[in-house]
Amino acid sequence: MFPITLFPSPFPRKEFNLANDVQTIVNELMHKVAFDHSFLNSSLESTVKVDSFTKNLLDINNQVEKIGSAQSVSFGLFRTDYMIDDIVSKSDLKSEGVSRDGSERDERDSERCRLKQVESNAIASGFSGLAPRVSSMHRYLTRKYQRDRVSSLPSNSATHNVALSFIQAFDTYRSPSAVILFVIEDWVVNVCDQRMIEESISELRPDVRVLRRPFSHLHPHGSSPLSLSQDRRLFIHGNEIALVYFRHCYDPAHYDLPGSWSLRLQIELSRAIKCPSINYHLSGVKKLQQILSKIENLEKFLPPKNCEILLQTFTGLHGLDFGSQSGDDAVKMALKRPENFVLKPQREGGGNNWYGKDIVKVLEPIKESEEREAYILMDLIKPPIIENYLIVANAQTQNPMEIISELGIYGSVLGSKNQLIFNRKDGHLLRSKKLGVNEGGISAGFGALDSPLLVD
Ligand code: ADP
Ligand code: MG
C-alpha cells in the first residue's frame, strides 16, 4: 500500500487554477517540440555526447524519421508537476534580501507567480488511476468531520478522462477487433493505479481489450509473442495491437536485456499508435525543459501571449554547456551556493537528482569537462510547510507531520505533425512528502498520495 495523507492538504486556489489553465499550452508545446525533428537534434546535440541513454532514444527517433513512420498519429499522456515557491513571499524577501546567486533581490520578485513547474512528464505519468480515489476518500472524511470545507475540494476525474483519451486514440486506429497493450515492468509496484485505468476503459467500452505484458516478455529471444506484418501492423499472439502504452522503458536499467533497444525500435516502426511515441518521450527530457525556459526558444512554438503565461510558471533553469560563458557561470553559482539548487541528469522515475553538498561532490570533478552537459541545474523551489497525518503501512500514525506538497496536472494529446486531434487537461494529483526529504516519487518510496483543499 502506498502512503496516503489522512486529510486533504491546503493548496492555493489561484495557483491550482493557473496550473489547470496552462496544461493545454504545455500539451501543445510538447506536441510541437516532438514533431520538430531538427530542434530535437540541435537541442540534444551536446547531451547525447555524454549521455548514452538519451543518445539511444534520439537514435531511434532519427531512424524512424529516416525509414518513415508507419503511424502518423502520436498519443501523449503527460503530467506537469508544480510546487509553490514560498521563497518569494514578502517576509522572506525582507529577511533574506538576496537572490539565489547572492545578488540583491528585485522588489518586483514579490509580485511574481508562486506556481513553479518542477517538470513535465512525457512517459509513464503515474497515479491518474489512484489520485481520484484519494480525493474521494478525503471528500468522505471532510464531509464527515469538516462539512463546511467540502466545497473547497475540487472534483477529480483523472481516471475517467485518461480512459476517454485511450478510447479516442484506440478508435483513431480504426480496427475494432484490435487490442491495447500495456508494456509494464516485471514486478509492478504501481499495479493498482494501472488497473484503475484498465477498469475505467472497460466500463466505458467493454469491447476494447487491454493486455498487459512485461517488456522482458516481448523480447525476440526464444519465442516472442510479438510479430510485425508486411504492412507493419503489430501483433501479439495473433491479436492486432492498436495502441502500445508504455508504463516502462524510461530508465536505462529497463533496457538491460540484449535486444531491448531493437525491440523499442521495432515497436516504434510499427503501425500501432504509441503512448508515448519516441518523439513525445524525448519532448520530456530535462535538457529540453531547460532549453524551453528561454523565451527565444519558447516563441518558436507558441504565440507571445501563451509564452508569457507559461514563462511565469518556470523557475530558474540553467544549462551547463561546456565552453560557454553561461555554462561556466552556472557551474560557479552551483558550487558557491549548492543549497539553492537541484542538479538533474536526464532521468525519470525519482531518486536521480542531487541536492546541496552532494551537488559539489558530483560537479567538482567534472566541472572542466563535457561530462557536465549530462546535467541541468535548477533553482530549488521551497514550498510552504503544512501539517498533516501520514498513513503508512505497518506504522502507527499518532502525530501530525510537517510536509510539503507537489501538484501534478494530467494532460492528453493525440495528433500528427500538422494536426492536433485533441488537446485536453485531464485532472490532478497531489503528492506530499515529509519536510527534509528531497525526492518526491511515491513509487520510488519518497512521498504520500494526497489531495488539495483549495484556500484563498
Ligand atoms: P524525476 O523525473 O526523477 O521524477 P523530478 O525533476 O520530478 O525528477 O524530481 C524528482 C523530485 O525532486 C520532484 O518530485 C520534487 O519533489 C523534487 N524536485 C525536483 N526539482 C525540484 C526543485 N527545483 N525544487 C525542489 N524540489 C525539486
Ligand atoms: Mg518527477
Side-chain angles (χ1 to χ4, degrees):
M1 187 192 115
F2 291 122
I4 47 176
T5 61
L6 182 57
F7 298 116
S9 292
F11 195 92
R13 186 187 308 272
K14 193 173 125 218
E15 280 79 4
F16 178 84
N17 290 339
L18 176 64
N20 275 283
D21 290 346
V22 299
Q23 188 56 43
T24 50
I25 305 178
V26 176
N27 291 344
E28 185 187 339
L29 176 66
M30 294 180 81
H31 173 82
K32 287 185 171 164
V33 166
F35 280 99
D36 191 329
H37 190 70
S38 59
F39 183 79
L40 281 183
N41 273 282
S42 61
S43 302
L44 297 174
E45 194 182 354
S46 55
T47 310
V48 296
K49 279 192 210 152
V50 287
D51 186 302
S52 60
F53 179 66
T54 311
K55 181 177 185 314
N56 283 329
L57 296 176
L58 192 66
D59 282 351
I60 290 187
N61 195 44
N62 289 339
Q63 287 186 65
V64 173
E65 178 79 11
K66 202 167 138 202
I67 298 168
S69 175
Q71 178 54 260
S72 61
V73 170
S74 291
F75 178 30
L77 286 173
F78 305 136
R79 197 192 68 222
T80 313
D81 295 331
Y82 301 90
M83 283 174 163
I84 298 296
D85 197 358
D86 221 24
I87 198 173
V88 294
S89 69
K90 284 203 166 97
S91 57
D92 267 350
L93 281 174
K94 276 190 202 120
S95 60
E96 274 208 12
V98 288
S99 66
R100 294 164 205 275
D101 61 1
S103 60
E104 293 237 331
R105 269 186 188 282
D106 188 328
E107 261 304 305
R108 277 170 309 171
D109 269 1
S110 60
E111 303 301 324
R112 77 178 169 131
C113 169
R114 297 197 309 147
L115 182 79
K116 294 295 163 199
Q117 191 188 109
V118 173
E119 68 156 344
S120 218
N121 300 281
I123 181 163
S125 311
F127 297 110
S128 61
L130 290 180
R133 299 277 163 148
V134 178
S135 292
S136 85
M137 181 198 89
H138 283 162
R139 184 174 295 276
Y140 164 70
L141 289 174
T142 308
R143 204 183 300 122
K144 208 163 170 185
Y145 298 112
Q146 294 176 308
R147 183 172 274 278
D148 55 320
R149 291 188 162 187
V150 174
S151 61
S152 300
L153 301 175
S155 65
N156 192 2
S157 307
T159 321
H160 176 83
N161 292 342
V162 163
L164 275 179
S165 296
F166 265 100
I167 287 165
Q168 207 170 338
F170 175 86
D171 286 341
T172 304
Y173 189 81
R174 290 180 192 282
S175 178
S177 61
V179 299
I180 298 176
L181 176 68
F182 282 22
V183 176
I184 55 174
E185 299 153 275
D186 286 328
W187 172 251
V188 187
V189 180
N190 207 356
V191 61
C192 298
D193 182 51
Q194 299 171 6
R195 290 285 190 192
M196 292 294 155
I197 300 172
E198 192 182 329
E199 185 187 292
S200 200
I201 293 172
S202 161
E203 267 167 20
L204 287 161
R205 278 280 294 277
D207 57 306
V208 177
R209 274 177 69 205
V210 171
L211 301 180
R212 297 162 52 82
R213 292 291 181 280
F215 189 54
S216 63
H217 291 198
L218 305 176
H219 275 66
H221 55 82
S223 56
S224 169
L226 282 188
S227 60
L228 207 55
S229 69
Q230 287 270 320
D231 59 355
R232 290 204 253 163
R233 287 170 195 272
L234 188 63
F235 290 86
I236 181 159
H237 296 304
N239 297 295
E240 186 171 0
I241 302 172
L243 196 60
V244 180
Y245 174 48
F246 289 102
R247 286 297 291 248
H248 190 61
C249 298
Y250 53 80
D251 188 87
H254 299 169
Y255 295 84
D256 275 353
L257 283 177
S260 295
W261 286 107
S262 15
L263 176 57
R264 179 90 194 254
L265 175 64
Q266 183 196 18
I267 295 173
E268 209 54 45
L269 285 171
S270 77
R271 265 191 67 176
I273 297 174
K274 276 73 62 178
C275 178
S277 51
I278 198 88
N279 55 342
Y280 272 5
H281 184 168
L282 280 163
S283 74
V285 303
K286 295 188 166 59
K287 181 65 191 170
L288 277 168
Q289 185 191 4
Q290 179 259 313
I291 286 186
L292 291 165
S293 70
K294 309 280 168 272
I295 176 84
E296 62 273 22
N297 295 320
L298 203 54
E299 62 192 8
K300 289 182 185 141
F301 302 100
L302 296 175
K305 189 163 173 289
N306 288 353
C307 289
E308 198 185 313
I309 296 171
L310 210 51
L311 272 174
Q312 60 175 330
T313 67
F314 295 159
T315 188
L317 285 145
H318 318 275
L320 302 179
D321 305 357
F322 188 60
S324 86
Q325 188 58 49
S326 61
D328 288 348
D329 290 348
V331 169
K332 270 191 215 141
M333 192 166 71
L335 293 175
K336 191 173 161 203
R337 290 178 169 263
E339 68 281 9
N340 287 336
F341 296 97
V342 185
L343 186 67
K344 298 187 174 188
Q346 315 301 311
R347 296 288 176 272
E348 304 290 332
N352 299 301
N353 300 334
W354 301 100
Y355 300 82
K357 287 193 183 118
D358 287 336
I359 294 182
V360 181
K361 277 191 213 150
V362 175
L363 205 50
E364 188 64 51
I366 58 167
K367 68 178 182 185
E368 301 294 351
S369 93
E370 278 185 344
E371 268 182 75
R372 73 189 203 192
E373 300 197 41
Y375 298 87
I376 61 155
L377 186 71
M378 186 172 186
D379 290 355
L380 184 76
I381 309 165
K382 294 184 179 164
I385 301 161
I386 43 178
E387 289 201 337
N388 204 333
Y389 295 84
L390 296 194
I391 305 176
V392 182
N394 303 321
Q396 282 201 342
T397 303
Q398 282 170 340
N399 299 314
M401 273 181 194
E402 293 193 317
I403 57 166
I404 53 175
S405 301
E406 185 168 349
L407 178 73
I409 304 292
Y410 297 99
S412 55
V413 277
L414 185 76
S416 55
K417 190 174 171 66
N418 299 316
Q419 191 202 3
L420 260 178
I421 300 166
F422 65 72
N423 173 8
R424 291 195 285 255
K425 61 173 185 227
D426 285 339
H428 62 266
L429 160 77
L430 196 74
R431 291 173 298 170
S432 294
K433 60 181 178 179
K434 278 190 236 169
L435 185 65
V437 174
N438 286 322
E439 293 283 322
I442 290 172
S443 298
F446 300 111
L449 289 166
D450 198 345
S451 80
L453 173 87
L454 301 183
V455 292
D456 295 305

